[in-house]
């Protein structure tokens, strides 16, 4: 069996070259084929066609790796990976903690109105019913709460939400 396997190597290599188009890749395929053949030698039935069994292993190995490589992006110099960015999680966490601290500092009536309308999605009328006060009172409390939160968090406009200015500039520069 050993001699038969050794005799099949040149033909395996030629077949691997025809599949992969690369001598180096073909050598890797043949090596992996032989390793798998030896690891699974118990599944080979003596008396059957050993070269055909080896070629089947090589072809299946090539197809599996081809499917896997088709999903990969060639990026040997790291240029593609450099374009993949995400905002750091710690900034978001810190911003949320700042928001929670500022929200806790609001007067309870303003905090309640803001949470009902801003976070829970109730209309002003529904929030007024829940708080047992006039709709105008709820609108006033929400307005004062939003204004006070903006002051405590040093927010001047809507652009102050999300990534900081430096991160936004870097992300904008990366866009084509």
């Amino acid at each position: 069996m050993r001699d038969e396997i050794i005799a099949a190597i040149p033909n395996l290599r030629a077949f691997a070259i025809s599949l992969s188009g690369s001598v180096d890749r073909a050598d890797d395929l043949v090596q992996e084929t032989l390793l798998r053949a030896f690891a699974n030698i118990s599944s080979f039935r003596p008396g059957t066609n050993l070269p055909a069994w080896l070629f089947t292993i090589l072809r299946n190995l090539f197809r599996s790796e081809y499917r896997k490589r088709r999903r990969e992006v060639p990026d040997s110099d790291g240029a593609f990976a450099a374009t993949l960015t995400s905002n750091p999680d710690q900034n978001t966490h810190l911003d949320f903690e700042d928001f929670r601290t500022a929200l806790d500092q609001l007067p309870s009536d303003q905090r309640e109105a803001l949470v009902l309308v801003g976070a829970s999605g109730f209309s002003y009328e529904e929030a007024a019913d829940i708080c047992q006060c006039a709709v105008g009172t709820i609108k006033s409390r929400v307005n004062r709460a939003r204004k006070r939160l903006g002051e405590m968090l040093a927010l001047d406009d809507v652009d102050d939400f999300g990534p900081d200015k430096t991160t936004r500039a870097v992300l904008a520069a990366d866009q084509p």
Side-chain angles (χ1 to χ4, degrees), residues 45-104:
R45 289 180 297 205
T48 59
N49 190 342
L50 180 66
W53 183 67
L54 293 171
F55 275 80
T56 301
I57 292 172
L58 188 138
R59 186 192 69 229
N60 290 343
L61 178 64
F62 173 77
R63 287 182 177 171
S64 295
E65 289 186 5
Y66 177 78
R67 282 190 300 271
K68 185 175 90 173
R69 287 177 190 258
R70 198 175 63 206
R71 293 185 299 265
E72 295 176 355
V73 176
D75 190 30
S76 60
D77 63 352
F80 181 74
T83 65
L84 301 175
T85 59
S86 64
N87 294 328
D89 291 335
Q90 67 271 23
N91 288 344
T92 305
H93 176 72
L94 293 174
D95 289 345
F96 183 70
E97 288 302 315
D98 290 344
F99 173 77
R100 282 184 44 185
T101 301
L103 187 65
D104 288 342

